[in-house]
Amino acid sequence: VHELMHSWYQMILGTNESLYPWMDEGFTSYASSEVMNYLAKEGLLPGKEYVENPHASTYSGFANFSKSGREEAISTHADHFGSNAAYGVGSYVKGSIFLNQLDYIIGTEAFDRGMLSYFNTWKYKHPNPNDFIRVMEKESGLELDWYKEYWVYTTKSIDYEVKNFKAGSSKKSTVISLNRIGDMPMPLDVVVTMKNGDKVTYNIPLQIMRGEKKEALENGELNYAKDWGWVHPTYELEIPVKSKKVIQVEIDPSYRMLDVDRDNNVFPKK
C-alpha cells in the first residue's frame, strides 16, 4: 500500500524527494496508514484490526525520538542528515504527523478539502512546502506560515499542561490554568468533563492563526475561547460552570497534537 501511494506522493505531484523528503515519504506514510486502516475496517486486510486512530503509534515513536537529542530539522536535504535514523524518522514519521496534526489545527473538513485541492492544483507541477501551505490557508481561511516554520525548520517540541482548575470570579464559573512548557505554540482543544458525564469542548485559537478552525463534534458544539498570544507561557480559561461540577480537564483527547508529555495533559492526573 505504501509503495502504491507513491503514485500520488511524489510521482504525479512531482515532489522533489531530495529537497523535501518529508513531502514524499511523510505524505505517503500518512496516506498508507489511512488506507490500510480503512481496508481493515472493510475486512480486506486479514490479521489487521481497525483502530480509531491509526497514527497513535507514529506519535509515540516520534515523541520518544525527539527526546533522544538525535532529531534534525526536516528542512535538511535528504543527503545531508547526520544519521539514517534522523533522516528516516524525520522524513517518514514527522512528515506523516505534519498532516495529521494539520487536521487538528484547521479541522477535518477543511483538511480533507485542502488535500484534494492540493492534488488537483499541483499535479505534474513540482510543488514545494509553500505551495502546500498556501492551498491549506485558502481552504481554512487561517494563517499557517507559523506551523510550517516551526515544524519544518526547527526541532522545537510541543508540551502543554493543565495546571489546575478552581472557582472563578463568580460562584458559577471555573478558571482552568494552562501552561505552555514546550517551545512550539499550538491552538488547543480543551475537554471539560462534568460529574454527570457530560463533556464540553473549548477551542483556544492561537493568535498568529488570525482565526479559528471550524469542526463538527460528535457530541455538542465547539466552544471558542479568546486567542492565546503565542509568546505567553500561561493562559486562563474561564468557563460558565461551577467548579464543584467539574471532575476532569484534558488537552487534546483526540491525540492529534504531538505533545511530548501527555501525562500533564490531564488534571487531575489519571
Side-chain angles (χ1 to χ4, degrees):
V1 173
H2 179 92
E3 301 310 329
L4 178 62
M5 294 310 300
H6 272 303
S7 299
W8 288 266
Y9 316 103
Q10 87 290 2
M11 295 305 181
I12 291 179
L13 284 159
T15 309
N16 187 324
E17 63 177 323
S18 293
L19 285 175
Y20 319 116
W22 59 276
M23 294 180 70
D24 168 22
E25 298 295 358
F27 284 26
T28 297
S29 295
Y30 169 84
S32 58
S33 293
E34 290 285 327
V35 169
M36 287 189 288
N37 199 44
Y38 173 80
L39 293 176
K41 186 177 183 180
E42 297 298 307
L44 297 174
L45 281 184
K48 184 174 178 62
E49 294 185 2
Y50 171 80
V51 293
E52 190 68 29
N53 182 358
H55 307 284
S57 60
T58 304
Y59 275 54
S60 59
F62 181 74
N64 290 332
F65 187 76
S66 70
K67 297 174 185 177
S68 72
R70 302 167 66 194
E71 182 189 357
E72 299 178 42
I74 57 174
S75 57
T76 305
H77 188 286
D79 293 336
H80 300 156
F81 279 87
S83 69
N84 285 336
Y87 163 76
V89 175
S91 301
Y92 288 77
V93 181
K94 193 173 185 180
S96 173
I97 295 169
F98 176 89
L99 290 184
N100 197 53
Q101 193 165 240
L102 186 59
D103 179 308
Y104 173 73
I105 293 169
I106 69 176
T108 299
E109 291 184 6
F111 176 79
D112 288 347
R113 291 196 310 268
M115 290 298 286
L116 289 173
S117 180
Y118 170 58
F119 177 79
N120 289 325
T121 302
W122 286 101
K123 55 188 177 184
Y124 310 114
K125 296 179 181 178
H126 311 289
N128 62 41
N130 286 334
D131 299 322
F132 177 78
I133 285 294
R134 294 295 169 262
V135 169
M136 289 301 185
E137 287 184 327
K138 289 179 180 178
E139 291 298 334
S140 66
L142 302 173
E143 188 169 324
L144 297 171
D145 278 347
W146 63 273
Y147 180 56
K148 177 199 68 179
E149 289 159 3
Y150 272 99
W151 198 252
V152 176
Y153 298 107
T154 80
T155 57
K156 296 181 186 295
S157 62
I158 302 166
D159 184 11
Y160 280 88
E161 173 191 35
V162 183
K163 185 178 181 180
N164 58 43
F165 60 82
K166 58 185 179 181
S169 56
S170 73
K171 293 181 179 180
K172 295 183 179 180
S173 68
T174 300
V175 171
I176 301 167
S177 296
L178 306 169
N179 291 333
R180 176 172 61 80
I181 299 171
D183 291 325
M184 179 172 172
M186 284 284 287
L188 298 183
D189 284 348
V190 179
V191 177
V192 181
T193 303
M194 312 298 176
K195 284 185 177 180
N196 63 3
D198 290 345
K199 295 180 183 292
V200 182
T201 303
Y202 292 87
N203 177 256
I204 304 174
L206 193 60
Q207 192 178 54
I208 50 178
M209 292 169 58
R210 306 192 189 283
E212 62 280 322
K213 70 175 177 180
K214 306 295 187 293
E215 186 163 60
L217 301 179
E218 292 183 5
N219 299 310
E221 298 180 354
L222 189 61
N223 299 276
Y224 297 102
K226 63 182 180 180
D227 292 358
W228 189 330
W230 65 279
V231 298
H232 298 158
T234 62
Y235 181 98
E236 287 192 340
L237 172 63
E238 187 161 8
I239 62 174
V241 178
K242 292 181 179 179
S243 59
K244 64 181 182 180
K245 291 185 177 182
V246 177
I247 62 169
Q248 181 180 282
V249 177
E250 182 172 6
I251 296 172
D252 178 38
S254 72
Y255 279 64
R256 287 180 293 168
M257 183 176 76
L258 200 152
D259 193 303
V260 296
D261 180 9
R262 297 202 66 93
D263 286 345
N264 60 13
N265 283 32
V266 181
F267 184 87
K269 290 187 177 182
K270 293 182 180 179

